[in-house]
Amino acid sequence: MYPDALARNYLLAHFDRLVQESGETALRLLRALATRRPDVFREALCKLAEGAALTLHSLELMYNLALSVPVEQRHLDAFVHRWFAACKEMEGAGRQKHLRLICKFAVELIRRERFDASSKVEVWFHFCSHFAGSGVVAEFKDALTKTLAKVPAN
């Protein structure tokens, strides 16, 4: 196996641990991969969006990544969708904490024009209706509504 292939395999095999134990190192590594090895970057991003543990570390990593390098919309959609789906299964304080985190994440990326919520707005409104009593969800819904107002009619 070539050294590049070994490094790629090691990174992907230990990605979750790297994110949880050293988010700053993971961020630096992913930023470098975005320019030097876009193929490995896409694989790691896919793993982060679709399979990494839903923790504050993974949320911070995705947020900082989205602000510093181009992240495909499909990865952001998958990441946000996983967080909302996980919140549906939770109850009590854990649910509120996760809702607050993902809504703040999405609202901030919408404001910075890094997350295009208009592409799946029906999905996001559905999640908002599921969590109707939460103030932070209302802020997310408001950001969605403002985003829709900016989208030109066909």
Side-chain angles (χ1 to χ4, degrees), residues 48-50 54 59 62 73-87 98 101-103 105-107 109-110 115 117 123-124 127 131 140 144:
L48 177 62
E50 298 173 9
L54 298 176
L59 186 72
M62 183 63 96
Q73 183 65 38
R74 66 187 177 103
H75 295 304
L76 291 172
D77 286 342
F79 191 74
V80 172
H81 187 274
R82 281 185 58 229
W83 270 77
F84 274 122
C87 288
H98 276 73
L101 289 171
I102 194 58
C103 286
F105 168 87
V107 167
L109 290 182
I110 288 169
F115 180 59
V123 173
W124 308 135
F127 280 118
F131 304 111
F140 178 55
L144 287 173

Side-chain angles (χ1 to χ4, degrees), residues 11-12 15 30 33 39-49:
L11 168 70
L12 295 176
F15 189 72
L30 288 170
L33 287 172
D39 56 327
V40 178
F41 171 73
R42 282 189 298 276
E43 285 184 73
L45 191 58
C46 188
K47 189 169 180 104
L48 177 62

Side-chain angles (χ1 to χ4, degrees), residues 81-91 95 99 126-127 130-131:
H81 187 274
R82 281 185 58 229
W83 270 77
F84 274 122
C87 288
K88 285 175 96 172
E89 303 299 320
M90 295 176 180
E91 292 184 19
R95 173 190 265 185
L99 275 175
H126 171 75
F127 280 118
H130 187 80
F131 304 111

Side-chain angles (χ1 to χ4, degrees), residues 5-141:
L6 287 172
R8 178 195 155 277
N9 292 343
Y10 182 83
L11 168 70
L12 295 176
H14 299 284
F15 189 72
D16 271 347
R17 194 177 88 216
L18 178 64
V19 169
Q20 300 313 314
E21 292 178 4
S22 184
E24 191 59 38
T25 301
L27 180 61
R28 280 194 309 270
L29 179 62
L30 288 170
R31 282 179 181 158
L33 287 172
T35 55
R36 295 184 190 131
R37 291 291 311 272
D39 56 327
V40 178
F41 171 73
R42 282 189 298 276
E43 285 184 73
L45 191 58
C46 188
K47 189 169 180 104
L48 177 62
E50 298 173 9
L54 298 176
T55 64
L56 180 58
H57 295 290
S58 64
L59 186 72
E60 285 177 332
L61 178 59
M62 183 63 96
Y63 176 77
N64 289 322
L65 210 52
L67 293 180
S68 59
V69 296
V71 174
E72 291 181 37
Q73 183 65 38
R74 66 187 177 103
H75 295 304
L76 291 172
D77 286 342
F79 191 74
V80 172
H81 187 274
R82 281 185 58 229
W83 270 77
F84 274 122
C87 288
K88 285 175 96 172
E89 303 299 320
M90 295 176 180
E91 292 184 19
R95 173 190 265 185
Q96 289 306 311
K97 176 184 169 189
H98 276 73
L99 275 175
R100 186 175 67 254
L101 289 171
I102 194 58
C103 286
K104 292 291 185 182
F105 168 87
V107 167
E108 190 58 31
L109 290 182
I110 288 169
R111 286 184 184 143
R112 292 176 181 244
E113 298 181 357
R114 297 293 189 142
F115 180 59
D116 179 15
S118 65
S119 64
K120 293 192 172 193
V121 73
E122 299 86 16
V123 173
W124 308 135
F125 274 123
H126 171 75
F127 280 118
C128 288
S129 66
H130 187 80
F131 304 111
S134 174
V136 72
V137 174
E139 184 182 355
F140 178 55
K141 192 171 183 178

